[in-house]
Amino acid sequence: LILNGVEEIFVLCASHAEKVEEHVKNSRWANCKHIHMKILVAQCGNPGDAIRHLNDYDVLRQDFILVSGDILTNFTNLKQLLKRHKERRELDPSVLLTL
């Protein structure tokens, strides 16, 4: 995410939030000035639950990327995906989701 220009990351933890937060604080990304990372506690069983919790935390102010924590990827086309989403939304303001 960081390598693709993401500047704000919210990590929703169903359990072990303290351990995740400690790991993040000790990671190489902890001292990045242009990255804001926040650990949030929430019980999420599916992507809809995660979006509802993010909305409850009042952090959804602009376009966002929702990624499951059990995914391994290098997101080589993330910038292209975001560009395509923005283009679709310009054509139709009601577009909320790009898969």
Side-chain angles (χ1 to χ4, degrees):
L1 294 172
I2 293 169
L3 298 175
N4 279 279
V6 174
E7 298 174 353
E8 193 170 36
I9 299 172
F10 297 97
V11 180
L12 291 176
C13 297
S15 62
H16 308 294
E18 300 83 17
K19 290 181 181 180
V20 172
E21 189 166 24
E22 186 65 27
H23 176 75
V24 169
K25 285 181 181 177
N26 294 321
S27 73
R28 64 182 172 154
W29 308 113
N31 295 321
C32 290
K33 303 270 189 252
H34 62 282
I35 302 297
H36 175 259
M37 193 174 307
K38 176 95 174 150
I39 310 299
L40 307 171
V41 178
Q43 296 296 323
C44 302
N46 58 55
D49 288 345
I51 292 170
R52 278 188 287 282
H53 284 295
L54 289 169
N55 190 53
D56 290 345
Y57 277 109
D58 195 31
V59 296
L60 299 179
R61 299 188 194 336
Q62 58 189 4
D63 291 339
F64 64 94
I65 303 163
L66 182 63
V67 180
S68 176
D70 60 356
I71 185 172
L72 293 175
T73 182
N74 61 5
F75 284 120
T76 56
N77 293 324
L78 187 57
K79 287 181 184 178
Q80 185 64 29
L81 176 66
L82 291 172
K83 180 180 177 223
R84 192 172 79 217
H85 173 72
K86 289 177 182 182
E87 289 169 351
R88 288 183 62 222
R89 195 180 59 235
E90 284 179 14
L91 294 173
D92 181 358
S94 66
V95 169
L96 300 175
L97 175 69
T98 300
L99 298 174

